[in-house]
Amino acid sequence: MRPRWAPLVLLAAAGCAYYNGIYNAKASARTGDRQSERGESYAAAQAYVLSAATAETVLARHPKTRWRSAALYFAARGYALGGECPRGMRRLDEYLAVAGEPRSRRDRALVARAACLIANNQLLPADTILQPLLESGDRDVRSQASLW
């Protein structure tokens, strides 16, 4: 009877990577976005770092999962917007190297990259990234790019 249950157990374990890890990272990122929109920068930074830490658990426990790119996105953006730019820039490099990612996520990752560049007083490279994002079809991306 044990061999029959093995596929179900594996399927359930793989599903947990999404529901427990990615779901929670996404929820924390949304909380950070809402707090940032309200001007609650300290609380937003905490939410973003929580999002990144949660995503890191998925990357550590399930390095070859199909949700790796989503985990990279939440880790990268979370660290960058949470003020942990050295970690964020490493994860941003990894995420932006992944082919076929949704445009909206790539644009939000680029805004996070620009935020770290600004934090490191690299204004010209940040402006080079942000300028094209001001024409984005995504209202949130345009808004974030204009703020930075």
Side-chain angles (χ1 to χ4, degrees), residues 37-85:
E37 287 173 8
R38 290 191 305 254
E40 301 169 4
S41 57
Y42 181 76
Q46 289 181 316
Y48 287 130
V49 170
L50 178 59
S51 173
T54 305
E56 284 290 341
T57 64
V58 174
L59 293 169
R61 293 179 183 164
H62 308 281
K64 299 202 186 280
T65 184
R66 67 180 185 176
W67 296 293
R68 179 171 173 69
S69 63
L72 281 172
Y73 168 75
F74 288 115
R77 188 167 179 263
Y79 284 137
L81 297 178
E84 295 188 22
C85 287

Side-chain angles (χ1 to χ4, degrees), residues 114 117-118 122-134:
L117 290 170
I118 290 168
Q122 297 177 347
L123 304 181
L124 185 59
D127 186 56
T128 303
I129 291 171
L130 292 171
Q131 196 63 40
L133 296 176
L134 294 172

Side-chain angles (χ1 to χ4, degrees), residues 6 16-17 23 36-37 50-51 60 77 94 109 113 120 143:
C16 289
Y23 177 84
S36 181
E37 287 173 8
L50 178 59
S51 173
R77 188 167 179 263
E94 280 183 81
R113 182 181 204 73
N120 289 322
S143 174

Side-chain angles (χ1 to χ4, degrees), residues 92-104:
L92 282 164
D93 289 341
E94 280 183 81
Y95 175 72
L96 292 169
V98 175
E101 285 300 292
R103 178 76 177 183
S104 62

